[in-house]
């Protein structure tokens, strides 16, 4: 399997007043093309920090992250912003939809600049149909249930057809039945399009849906 993402010896700490909290203490990992990888770990173990570092959102203190052999923190910051827009998608626990926009506009937004409005809106509608929300076009996020809002967020994350999708506890705010439905759509889309996926969860059942699993403990992956 070709490698899509390679991280080596990542370290990241937070300074809180005069104390320093070391969160990542030398994390290395590889993600294969088309692979689905789960990362488990207790609350506060650094899973979100790691995902942000891997996705180009947060520069580590030391270590490298390479996307198809190219160091993402070696890029200029506009180049890295473009990398994030074109190559990766993020799904967060708390949906992060914009309340003043309807769901088509929310999904289309990341592609407005890259594709132009008409094409972006057409693709947004297709993606919403694929997550089972074709009948809800024109609704605003607050008119939808939590599970439906997360399906909108998944459609948005896939808007620019990313090669690599990051999901940070995507069902963490949902009851298990609703979460199951969200995962159904997520895995269906990821597997049919052969996206690579890095999924953070603290549920064993969710992790079991991925082809491989790692555990973040005491600042390193095991
Ligand atoms: P997880 O996602 O596994 O729950 P996080 O990566 O969110 O863990 O956080 C790891 C640790 O770093 C936690 O102890 C958290 O309180 C701390 N932390 C996270 N972000 C910050 C920040 N911006 N400033 C200070 N401490 C932080
Ligand atoms: Mg987290």
């Amino acid at each position: 399997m070709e490698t899509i993402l390679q991280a080596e010896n990542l370290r990241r700490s937070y300074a809180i007043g005069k104390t320093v909290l070391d969160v990542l203490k030398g994390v290395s990992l590889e993600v294969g093309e088309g692979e689905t990888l789960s990362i488990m770990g207790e609350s506060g173990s650094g899973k979100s920090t790691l995902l942000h570092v891997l996705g180009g959102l947060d520069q580590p203190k030391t270590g490298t992250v390479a996307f198809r052999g190219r160091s993402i923190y070696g890029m200029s910051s506009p180049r890295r912003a473009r990398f994030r827009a074109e190559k990766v998608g993020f799904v967060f626990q708390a949906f992060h939809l914009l309340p003043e926009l309807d769901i088509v506009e929310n999904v289309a937004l990341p592609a407005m600049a890259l594709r132009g409005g008409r094409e972006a809106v057409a693709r947004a509608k297709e993606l919403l149909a694929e997550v089972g929300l074709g009948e809800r076009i024109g609704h605003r996020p607050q008119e939808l249930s939590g599970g439906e809002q997360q399906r909108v967020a998944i459609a948005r994350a896939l808007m620019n057809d990313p090669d690599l999708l990051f999901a940070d506890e995507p069902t963490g705010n949902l009851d298990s039945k609703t979460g199951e439905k969200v995962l159904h759509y997520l895995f269906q889309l990821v597997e049919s399009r052969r996206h690579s996926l890095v999924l953070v969860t603290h549920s064993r059942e969710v992790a079991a849906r991925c082809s491989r699993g790692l555990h973040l403990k005491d600042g390193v992956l095991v």
Side-chain angles (χ1 to χ4, degrees), residues 124-135 137 185:
K125 288 179 178 169
E126 277 172 31
L127 281 165
L128 283 167
E130 283 195 63
V131 295
L133 295 172
E135 310 295 307
I137 280 162
Y185 284 108

Side-chain angles (χ1 to χ4, degrees), residues 47-48 168-169:
K47 303 180 299 298
S48 295
D168 191 354
E169 307 207 39

